[in-house]
Amino acid sequence: NAGVTQTPKFQVLKTGQSMTLQCAQDMNHNSMYWYRQDPGMGLRLIYYSASEGTTDKGEVPNGYNVSRLNKREFSLRLESAAPSQTSVYFCASSGPGQGFGNYGYTFGSGTRLTVV
Amino acid sequence: AQSVAQPEDQVNVAEGNPLTVKCTYSVSGNPYLFWYVQYPNRGLQFLLKYITGDNLVKGSYGFEAEFNKSQTSFHLKKPSALVSDSALYFCAVRDYRDSSYKLIFGSGTRLLVRP
């Protein structure tokens, strides 16, 4: 039972390069989310997908795009990376109902991205 | 909009002593509140949640949280701290906007338990 799987775990990019962060969940959850974590700022929502086929902007969407490929997979793309996007990125999914199931979110282990 | 605040960047406590990590909330309607813990280089793990019912919620690893409506607080507590409790703790509140539910997180509190 893997839960939420994120790849890669670490990545170094040069300014202007592009990349896609992958996320997959095996819990049959409808909703999936991408957050970034920065020191002193907690987790900030980038994009989310309430259900398969829908995506919406969160608090800090600029510079990112997302794709909900199917119910299991939700990817985050940086088209032209900037040093301000250096951060730790977390994918999460949530279970059924308004109470988010038993555990709220289930998180992946994160991707540590450095843009130089 | 819903929000939570964690007023302390860091909490220091000696092993064996009780610990409290503070969280206050601002919501319209009934709050759905959560606590998560993050160990180094790991994702966030669920500790406990409050939706309705008893104001004292018990969770994983011996943690509990007290919901106080009059003070709009949801403080995380443990009677006897362990060195292994040292980690980053996040309070979160459910938010409903644009026909979707999501969690809004506080800035986090680092707990350091010294031997």
Side-chain angles (χ1 to χ4, degrees):
Chain A
N1 188 5
V4 178
T5 303
Q6 286 184 239
T7 56
K9 294 189 182 302
F10 301 95
Q11 185 71 50
V12 178
L13 290 179
K14 294 182 179 179
T15 298
Q17 286 186 316
S18 62
M19 77 162 296
T20 299
L21 281 64
Q22 307 287 352
C23 175
Q25 53 91 7
D26 62 0
M27 295 167 289
N28 202 35
H29 286 171
N30 285 327
S31 301
M32 298 184 72
Y33 312 82
W34 276 105
Y35 285 83
R36 59 177 289 174
Q37 181 181 18
D38 301 292
M41 304 188 75
L43 279 78
R44 293 181 293 169
L45 183 63
I46 305 171
Y47 270 93
Y48 65 99
S49 171
S51 61
E52 186 178 357
T54 68
T55 61
D56 286 286
K57 295 178 180 179
E59 181 184 357
V60 288
N62 291 344
Y64 305 95
N65 284 301
V66 290
S67 296
R68 183 74 183 266
L69 304 171
N70 47 54
K71 192 171 186 179
R72 291 187 64 249
E73 298 173 285
F74 188 40
S75 62
L76 178 71
R77 183 163 178 82
L78 287 71
E79 292 290 353
S80 179
S84 60
Q85 294 178 304
T86 293
S87 186
V88 181
Y89 291 84
F90 286 101
C91 178
S93 67
S94 66
Q98 300 174 6
F100 295 102
N102 289 328
Y103 305 113
Y105 286 177
T106 300
F107 283 88
S109 57
T111 296
R112 189 172 296 272
L113 175 67
T114 301
V115 183
V116 298
Chain B
Q2 326 288 50
S3 66
V4 289
Q6 294 181 245
E8 301 156 317
D9 291 334
Q10 183 161 314
V11 170
N12 299 304
V13 64
E15 188 174 31
N17 283 359
L19 69 87
T20 299
V21 182
K22 295 180 180 179
C23 174
T24 59
Y25 65 88
S26 174
V27 303
S28 54
N30 295 322
Y32 281 37
L33 297 161
F34 297 78
W35 276 103
Y36 289 84
V37 59
Q38 184 182 29
Y39 298 103
N41 301 313
R42 303 284 295 278
L44 278 72
Q45 298 176 32
F46 172 84
L47 278 178
L48 50 81
K49 70 177 180 182
Y50 172 84
I51 297 179
T52 60
D54 197 347
N55 288 343
L56 187 64
V57 180
K58 294 189 182 296
S60 306
Y61 312 122
F63 283 92
E64 57 190 27
E66 185 173 9
F67 173 72
N68 188 316
K69 189 173 183 178
S70 63
Q71 296 186 6
T72 62
S73 66
F74 188 55
H75 300 332
L76 183 69
K77 301 182 179 184
K78 188 173 183 181
S80 179
L82 299 172
V83 172
S84 57
D85 292 330
S86 298
L88 189 56
Y89 290 81
F90 290 96
C91 182
V93 64
R94 189 191 71 171
D95 181 54
Y96 181 73
R97 259 182 291 176
D98 301 323
S99 304
S100 300
Y101 292 96
K102 56 193 77 70
L103 293 183
I104 305 299
F105 289 86
S107 56
T109 299
R110 187 166 301 280
L111 174 66
L112 182 61
V113 182
R114 59 186 184 275

